[in-house]
Amino acid sequence: MINGTRRMKFYISATGIKRVITISSGGGGAGKGSAKDITAASATSAAGRRISARAFLPAFLVLCIVLPFLFVRIAFLVLESARVCSSSDCVRWRFFSEGDTSLKLRDELTRVLLEAAKNSNVNEEEGAESFNEFVTEITTASRPQDLEAFAFKTKAMLSRMEHKVQSAKHLESAYWHLASHGVPKSLHCLSLKLAEEYSVNSMARSPLPPPEYVSRLSDPTFHHLLLLTDNILAASVVVNSTVENSANPENLVFHIVTDKKTFTSMHAWFATNLIKSAVVEVKGLHQYDWSKEVNVGVQDILEINDLIWKHHLNDIEEKEYRYMEGFRPSSLSLMNHLCIYIPELLHHLSVFVSFGGSPYEQLFPDLNKIVYLEDDVVVQHDISSLWELDLNGKVCGSVFKSSEEDSTGFPGSKYINYLNFSHPLISSKFDPDQNVWLYGLNIFDLEAWRRSNITQTFLEWLKLNFKCGLTLWKPGVFPPCLIAFEGKVHPIDSSWLVSDLGYHHTSLEEEISLERLESAAVIHFSGPAKPWLEIGFPEVRSLWNRYVNFSDKFIRRCGFTQ
């Protein structure tokens, strides 16, 4: 075409048809510049469109992936909040809070637990039987369980389990109580065999002590010991262990007092197992000619003990273990209560001796000092220095219980553990934090006792306790003895006695060190688990068994084993 005319050109590209209009001019630089600018602008616009198109596709793909994930996550949070939270506030802070949600969840859980604790209308019968049942109940419920429901169900389950544990403890206490009441077949057999021996064997009926030793029964230069028991085997262990570990056994004089039904068996045992190095006297309660006053006091003790037994027998399963001690035979038997009549038991001590073929009764003056041993003790070392102790005018010398023993599971060491200080009669007269002294090994100044009113005080408080509905102290003979001997007990060194070997403990080493046990002069199996019972603890039974004469024919026949 001719120069100066306008020309129109079309360009076709692979990406599509684009029409580019170029205005050409035959002259003039200005015209050429304008055309170039238009062409550059069009190129820039096309490049921008190409970049936007390339960026849109990846962004679109990312959104397609992220949006479903966000939707699922939000839905999960909504469902979780509905299940866990019990209020709209809880749901709100789970979505909009800026802090740690676990801490706030803890606060919410604490709140509902405290609310459940204050609510007393929880039915423990609705609680789950086990943790697995509880989990199943929570996770498979037909409707969502919120925190409040979780807290109340947890409380119901724990309450039910706690009730079962308490019932099991009460049953255990009752079974232990019944076991401590029982007389083993072997002990019953021994008593019967010895009673038969007494009737057919003249040696079993020989006088105790032999006539040539009768004068020692009232001689204050000898060391006198008193034992009140109806347990033949236990009495033999006390005598054997004391004699075997004594530096001068020929100075020992044992006064064994028993009841009428056991007298012949006890006499037969010590008559046929005569201890040549010491003197042993066996006497039955039926042989005492007590005054009317003493007889009345003993009768009162028997009647009150019978009423105590009837009062507590019906609800024995509901009593805690520490109360069970008061219902054991040793706590309610006459033999155990006769310790309060020790001066009367040794007053004008009498024995029957033979002179010219005719028996006659010989009377002796009162003794001054005597060591009292219970029948569940073992003497491990020489105790002769006990008679030399200065009691500083006190009636009794005894080991006082240490406060450290409170944490071992054994009976407490304070008055408050035995007496009821919520009663004004007790709180007005005694100190709850005062340490108690121990029975089992005691040295008594009989002259000081006779000048005191201990026995009368014991009987008066026994009657007062009955009038107050048995509420002044926990059952047993020890609490009224604490009252009767108040201010009249002199402390002796703790190495003389280790007690509580008959109480339940998990491990001997944890409760009483072996060194302390072996160094003690006397060990006391106080508590229901006596070493001659099946419930006795193997850890300490060997300390008692070593003094049982297992070679004796009656021991073998009655099935005693080490």
Side-chain angles (χ1 to χ4, degrees):
M1 294 182 69
I2 302 174
N3 292 336
T5 62
R6 299 181 182 273
R7 292 176 296 178
M8 181 176 293
K9 296 181 181 181
F10 291 90
Y11 295 91
I12 300 175
S13 67
T15 57
I17 300 174
K18 294 183 178 180
R19 189 174 66 174
V20 180
I21 302 175
T22 303
I23 303 175
S24 300
S25 175
K32 293 180 181 178
S34 298
K36 291 179 180 178
D37 291 340
I38 293 172
T39 303
S42 299
T44 301
S45 176
R49 286 195 298 270
R50 285 197 297 272
I51 293 173
S52 299
R54 291 173 183 173
F56 174 76
L57 182 59
F60 178 75
L61 293 176
V62 170
L63 288 176
C64 290
I65 296 173
V66 171
L67 287 177
F69 173 78
L70 291 176
F71 175 78
V72 172
R73 177 58 181 166
I74 292 172
F76 175 78
L77 289 175
V78 170
L79 294 176
E80 184 183 23
S81 299
R83 177 178 293 273
V84 176
C85 296
S86 60
S87 64
S88 59
D89 292 337
C90 175
V91 178
R92 186 175 66 253
W93 60 250
R94 285 184 62 85
F95 284 104
F96 303 107
S97 65
E98 297 178 357
D100 187 353
T101 58
S102 63
L103 295 177
K104 294 186 178 181
L105 179 60
R106 182 196 63 186
D107 294 339
E108 180 71 8
L109 181 60
T110 301
R111 183 188 64 79
V112 296
L113 288 175
L114 291 175
E115 182 179 344
K118 295 178 181 179
N119 195 322
S120 60
N121 296 326
V122 175
N123 186 4
E124 65 180 35
E125 296 297 329
E126 297 178 356
E129 290 279 354
S130 65
F131 179 75
N132 290 336
E133 181 181 331
F134 171 75
V135 172
T136 302
E137 183 179 339
I138 289 293
T139 56
T140 61
S142 57
R143 62 184 181 84
Q145 301 290 310
D146 57 19
L147 277 179
E148 289 185 357
F150 171 80
F152 279 87
K153 287 182 178 295
T154 302
K155 180 179 180 180
M157 179 189 69
L158 294 178
S159 297
R160 185 169 189 166
M161 291 182 175
E162 182 180 0
H163 179 74
K164 287 186 175 182
V165 170
Q166 293 297 328
S167 298
K169 287 182 177 180
H170 291 152
L171 287 175
E172 180 189 19
S173 298
Y175 295 152
W176 268 67
H177 171 69
L178 294 175
S180 68
H181 264 271
V183 177
K185 180 181 178 181
S186 54
L187 283 181
H188 185 63
C189 167
L190 181 63
S191 181
L192 292 178
K193 293 292 184 183
L194 288 170
E196 181 183 5
E197 188 72 6
Y198 184 87
S199 63
V200 300
N201 187 352
S202 60
M203 182 179 294
R205 297 191 300 272
S206 58
L208 285 177
E212 61 268 26
Y213 296 116
V214 168
S215 60
R216 295 187 184 182
L217 295 178
S218 61
D219 191 337
T221 62
F222 287 86
H223 295 162
H224 295 264
L225 303 97
L226 175 64
L227 185 62
L228 306 175
T229 181
D230 58 358
N231 189 321
I232 301 164
L233 190 63
S236 71
V237 168
V238 174
V239 173
N240 290 343
S241 63
T242 306
V243 171
E244 183 174 326
N245 294 295
S246 175
N248 298 291
E250 64 277 2
N251 289 335
L252 299 176
V253 179
F254 293 90
H255 305 275
I256 300 177
V257 180
T258 188
D259 55 18
K260 184 177 181 179
K261 67 180 177 61
T262 313
F263 170 73
T264 56
S265 301
M266 188 77 74
H267 190 282
W269 173 267
F270 285 101
T272 56
N273 292 274
L274 195 61
I275 301 175
K276 297 181 180 179
S277 57
V279 171
V280 177
E281 178 206 25
V282 176
K283 196 170 183 182
L285 293 177
H286 60 288
Q287 295 176 317
Y288 282 91
D289 185 18
W290 281 334
S291 65
K292 181 179 180 181
E293 182 182 358
V294 174
N295 284 329
V296 170
V298 172
Q299 186 64 32
D300 287 343
I301 290 175
L302 290 174
E303 291 179 357
I304 292 175
N305 282 346
D306 184 58
L307 293 172
I308 291 174
W309 177 261
K310 292 178 180 179
H311 176 80
H312 293 290
L313 184 61
N314 293 332
D315 57 350
I316 191 171
E317 289 189 3
E318 299 180 3
K319 301 295 179 185
E320 296 182 25
Y321 179 71
R322 61 180 182 270
Y323 294 100
M324 290 295 177
E325 175 71 9
F327 305 118
R328 296 193 303 107
S330 60
S331 296
L332 294 173
S333 71
L334 176 61
M335 297 305 302
N336 202 33
H337 281 80
L338 281 178
C339 61
I340 203 66
Y341 281 108
I342 286 178
E344 284 73 18
L345 290 171
L346 300 171
H347 181 63
H348 294 309
L349 189 65
S350 62
V351 295
F352 285 92
V353 298
S354 178
F355 182 78
S358 302
Y360 73 96
E361 187 177 27
Q362 183 174 350
L363 300 179
F364 298 95
D366 298 332
L367 296 174
N368 299 328
K369 270 189 177 181
I370 193 165
V371 169
Y372 171 74
L373 295 174
E374 291 201 337
D375 63 0
D376 53 353
V377 306
V378 171
V379 179
Q380 300 188 125
H381 303 292
D382 180 58
I383 60 173
S384 58
S385 59
L386 275 176
W387 284 268
E388 309 302 326
L389 290 178
D390 183 6
L391 300 182
N392 295 322
K394 305 290 186 181
V395 174
C396 173
S398 180
V399 173
F400 277 72
K401 199 163 191 180
S402 170
S403 300
E404 296 176 357
E405 295 176 282
D406 280 343
S407 60
T408 62
F410 302 141
S413 63
K414 307 289 187 181
Y415 269 45
I416 194 172
N417 301 120
Y418 296 90
L419 305 178
N420 178 19
F421 279 87
S422 63
H423 199 288
L425 283 176
I426 298 296
S427 59
S428 61
K429 295 180 180 296
F430 305 102
D431 178 10
D433 294 324
Q434 184 173 340
N435 284 347
V436 302
W437 49 277
L438 298 175
Y439 253 23
L441 170 68
N442 307 95
I443 175 73
F444 289 110
D445 184 335
L446 298 180
E447 289 185 347
W449 191 329
R450 294 185 186 103
R451 293 193 301 266
S452 71
N453 60 345
I454 289 175
T455 303
Q456 187 62 32
T457 301
F458 178 92
L459 294 173
E460 289 175 356
W461 277 92
L462 206 63
K463 295 176 181 178
L464 185 60
N465 182 46
F466 180 73
K467 291 180 180 179
C468 295
L470 306 176
T471 59
L472 297 185
W473 56 71
K474 296 173 184 177
V477 68
F478 188 52
C481 282
L482 285 177
I483 295 176
F485 281 89
E486 171 71 12
K488 299 179 175 65
V489 181
H490 177 72
I492 63 177
D493 193 271
S494 61
S495 63
W496 279 107
L497 180 67
V498 169
S499 62
D500 297 326
L501 298 186
Y503 284 101
H504 197 288
H505 49 78
T506 56
S507 171
L508 176 64
E509 291 77 11
E510 293 179 3
E511 311 297 352
I512 303 173
S513 67
L514 187 60
E515 180 182 358
R516 182 188 172 201
L517 195 64
E518 292 178 345
S519 64
V522 177
I523 56 175
H524 188 194
F525 291 84
S526 53
K530 302 301 183 187
W532 55 83
L533 297 175
E534 291 185 2
I535 61 175
F537 302 116
E539 302 96 327
V540 292
R541 182 182 286 158
S542 60
L543 300 175
W544 187 82
N545 278 345
R546 68 177 64 171
Y547 297 104
V548 176
N549 184 10
F550 288 101
S551 63
D552 181 81
K553 63 179 181 179
F554 297 111
I555 295 292
R556 294 198 309 270
R557 290 175 185 175
C558 292
F560 288 96
T561 57
Q562 297 189 44

